[in-house]
Amino acid sequence: MNYQQKSIKNWAEDDRPREKLSLKGERALSDSELLAIIMGSGSREESAVELAKRILNSVDNNWNNLSRLSIKDLCKFKGIGEAKAISIITALEIGRRKAIQELPEKPKITRSRDIFQVMQSIIGDLNVEEFWVLFLNQGNFVVKKELIGRGGISYVAVDVRIIMKIALEEYATGIILAHNHPSGNLNPSRDDYRLTEKIKTAARTLDIELLDHLILNQKSYFSFADEGKL
């Protein structure tokens, strides 16, 4: 089969990703078809969908894994130049920001798994460390979540005063800390323990309870509360 035959333009209309989306809706598309639309085209040897399948296969068909690839990583695939790589990274970043904003209803936190479900899509797959705080009302509903600090691979600076200021502004009665470990290692560091205690002490003086501190990665988490470390 030559490239002309493999080109998406020569497929049956129902099989073309853009036309398929228009006819059947976005939920009818496979992951590779969605990625093909983002890329726009393939290479001389393969269609956009075939190229998308190859890229997704390399990351175990996991969007979180794909989002960890850099422009340089993506450009290693034949058929992917800088422009396509930037388009892919941009689309995935839009998805991450959508997840950050996705709180039309205030989620209720009753256990550590609830915290993980709120935060995993936001920081679970990042290559740098981010420190977030969830602010809860008396009914344990999240009234606000805020990025407090962003750092390198293994460290992020956190200003406790900012956390307390937001807690007072939101009339929060409880706070939950959450940060990721890009290395995947969920064991708390000495700095993690020190910072947790520092924030707990500051919150107590304002009658605000530190309910938990989660360290998470793509698939799992460590809960200070579950492990009796608070």
Side-chain angles (χ1 to χ4, degrees):
M1 182 180 290
N2 61 35
Y3 176 68
Q4 288 297 320
Q5 291 174 311
K6 291 167 77 67
S7 172
I8 289 176
K9 292 180 181 179
N10 292 302
W11 293 9
E13 186 171 300
D14 193 48
D15 292 330
R16 300 176 194 168
R18 289 189 183 87
E19 284 79 356
K20 186 175 179 181
L21 188 152
S22 180
L23 290 170
K24 298 182 178 180
E26 63 273 16
R27 295 187 184 277
L29 271 65
S30 66
D31 286 353
S32 56
E33 289 170 330
L34 290 170
L35 183 55
I37 290 175
I38 293 169
M39 295 189 301
S41 62
S43 66
R44 288 187 173 276
E45 286 77 26
E46 56 189 352
S47 71
V49 174
E50 289 170 331
L51 176 56
K53 285 180 180 178
R54 185 158 60 88
I55 293 171
L56 287 169
N57 284 337
S58 75
V59 292
D60 297 323
N61 294 295
N62 186 297
W63 289 108
N64 288 321
N65 290 341
L66 181 60
S67 71
R68 297 175 71 90
L69 300 186
S70 65
I71 292 175
K72 185 177 179 180
D73 293 330
L74 289 167
C75 286
K76 291 177 182 178
F77 293 93
K78 188 173 182 181
I80 298 293
E82 186 175 352
K84 286 181 184 176
I86 289 172
S87 293
I88 293 169
I89 290 172
T90 299
L92 292 169
E93 177 60 18
I94 289 171
R96 192 180 82 89
R97 295 188 187 191
K98 176 179 178 290
I100 292 173
Q101 296 171 354
E102 228 168 38
L103 273 182
E105 294 183 6
K106 296 179 176 66
K108 185 172 184 178
I109 304 298
T110 60
R111 54 180 181 160
S112 58
R113 172 62 58 176
D114 298 333
I115 307 168
F116 180 71
Q117 289 174 345
V118 171
M119 296 304 303
Q120 190 277 333
S121 61
I122 299 173
I123 60 174
D125 60 355
L126 295 183
N127 292 319
V128 295
E129 191 170 310
E130 287 190 354
F131 192 97
W132 288 70
V133 178
L134 304 181
F135 299 88
L136 283 67
N137 63 19
Q138 200 161 8
N140 278 356
F141 288 94
V142 177
V143 295
K144 187 180 182 69
K145 64 181 186 294
E146 188 79 17
L147 171 62
I148 302 299
R150 190 171 194 267
I153 295 174
S154 61
Y155 176 76
V156 58
V158 173
D159 191 332
V160 178
R161 295 169 299 180
I162 292 176
I163 298 173
M164 295 306 118
K165 179 177 179 290
I166 297 172
L168 292 173
E169 290 172 346
E170 297 297 328
Y171 299 99
T173 59
I175 58 174
I176 292 170
L177 317 177
H179 77 278
N180 62 309
H181 276 181
S183 66
N185 180 5
L186 295 175
N187 293 323
S189 66
R190 274 186 244 176
D191 286 336
D192 291 333
Y193 281 113
R194 279 196 290 264
L195 180 59
T196 302
E197 189 59 34
K198 184 177 180 180
I199 294 173
K200 179 181 177 181
T201 300
R204 188 187 296 126
T205 64
L206 300 172
D207 291 325
I208 297 170
E209 185 179 1
L210 176 58
L211 299 169
D212 205 346
H213 183 175
L214 243 64
I215 300 172
L216 58 148
N217 58 26
Q218 286 183 322
K219 297 179 180 179
S220 191
Y221 63 91
F222 177 96
S223 163
F224 278 66
D226 290 353
E227 300 298 327
K229 303 297 183 181
L230 281 184

